[in-house]
């Protein structure tokens, strides 16, 4: 026997379906692949956003987010424990602190590289960050060094110096970076 479905339930299902469809199309990859093809399909003239306009879109926001995560990870899991003496032999919690510092070092390096890439989308930010790429690359192996307990004052200072330089460059370009401490799951994952 056929039972009519209430109008409220039908509308709810329809709205949820539309929301899911809109969410799925809005979540294209950051390189613009899915979003660009969707906009190209919707715009038959082919006059969609240019590649440079797509690259500039939210460049400062992405830069601030990535640099903020790198700064937060560096200060929370590298600089603070080092200054507290947690990395010294025989210190309580040393092993866990070194593992977290190693993960934070790799994470910070990754986020700084992403921030430098994001900076390329904004002309002013690109000029400010360009001289800092060598400093970012110098951090490449420090995560492993931290994890093994081989890092010293100079290594921790290198992280702190690069983070401060990135923050200053962002501030000068109108993209102030504020520290955002990532979760432990973000570090591992």
């Amino acid at each position: 026997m056929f039972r009519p479905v209430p109008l409220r339930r039908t509308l709810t299902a329809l709205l949820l379906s539309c929301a899911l469809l809109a969410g799925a199309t809005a979540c294209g990859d950051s390189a613009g692949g899915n979003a660009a093809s969707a906009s190209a399909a919707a715009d038959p003239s082919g006059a969609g956003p240019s590649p440079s306009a797509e690259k500039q879109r939210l460049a400062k926001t992405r830069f601030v987010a990535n640099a903020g995560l790198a700064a937060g990870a560096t200060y929370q899991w590298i600089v603070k424990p080092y200054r507290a003496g947690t990395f010294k032999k025989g210190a309580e919690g040393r092993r866990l602190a070194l593992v977290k510092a190693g993960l934070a070092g790799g994470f910070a390096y990754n986020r700084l590289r992403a921030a430098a890439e994001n900076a390329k989308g904004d002309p002013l930010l690109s000029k400010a960050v360009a001289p800092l790429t060598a400093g970012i690359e110098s951090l490449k192996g420090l995560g492993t060094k931290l994890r093994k307990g081989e890092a010293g004052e100079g290594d921790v200072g290198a992280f702190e110096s690069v983070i401060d330089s990135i923050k200053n460059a962002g501030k000068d370009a109108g993209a102030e970076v504020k520290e955002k401490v990532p979760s432990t799951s973000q570090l591992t994952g």
Side-chain angles (χ1 to χ4, degrees):
M1 180 170 185
F2 178 72
R3 227 171 91 189
V5 179
L7 183 60
R8 176 190 253 173
R9 190 177 290 169
T10 305
L11 287 176
T12 302
L14 181 63
L15 287 174
L16 282 173
S17 298
C18 289
L20 287 172
L21 181 61
T25 58
C27 292
D29 66 0
S30 61
N34 293 341
S37 62
S39 65
D43 186 10
S45 68
S50 68
S52 62
E54 187 66 29
K55 192 173 184 181
Q56 281 185 307
R57 187 172 167 234
L58 301 174
K60 281 187 179 180
T61 304
R62 290 176 182 161
F63 169 81
V64 168
N66 283 318
L69 285 169
T74 298
Y75 288 120
Q76 181 69 30
W77 288 298
I78 297 173
V79 175
K80 283 182 185 178
Y82 183 80
R83 288 185 180 154
T86 312
F87 293 165
K88 293 181 180 175
K89 290 186 186 223
E92 188 176 324
R94 178 179 187 256
R95 186 173 296 177
L96 181 60
L98 288 174
V99 169
K100 283 184 178 179
L103 291 171
F107 178 83
Y109 170 72
N110 182 300
R111 292 298 86 210
L112 287 171
R113 284 192 50 208
E117 189 63 33
N118 296 141
K120 292 178 183 176
D122 183 75
L124 185 60
L125 196 54
S126 178
K127 288 178 187 174
V129 174
L132 305 175
T133 54
I136 293 169
E137 287 303 314
S138 72
L139 302 176
K140 189 173 187 173
L142 289 183
T144 304
K145 210 172 176 183
L146 284 163
R147 190 174 60 246
K148 290 180 179 179
E150 300 169 352
E153 177 71 32
D155 298 320
V156 172
F159 261 109
E160 200 169 15
S161 174
V162 170
I163 293 293
D164 289 342
S165 298
I166 288 287
K167 287 171 78 173
N168 290 334
K171 188 175 182 179
D172 292 345
E176 189 171 347
V177 176
K178 295 182 181 171
E179 294 172 26
K180 179 167 180 0
V181 178
S183 67
T184 308
S185 63
Q186 284 178 306
L187 290 180
T188 60

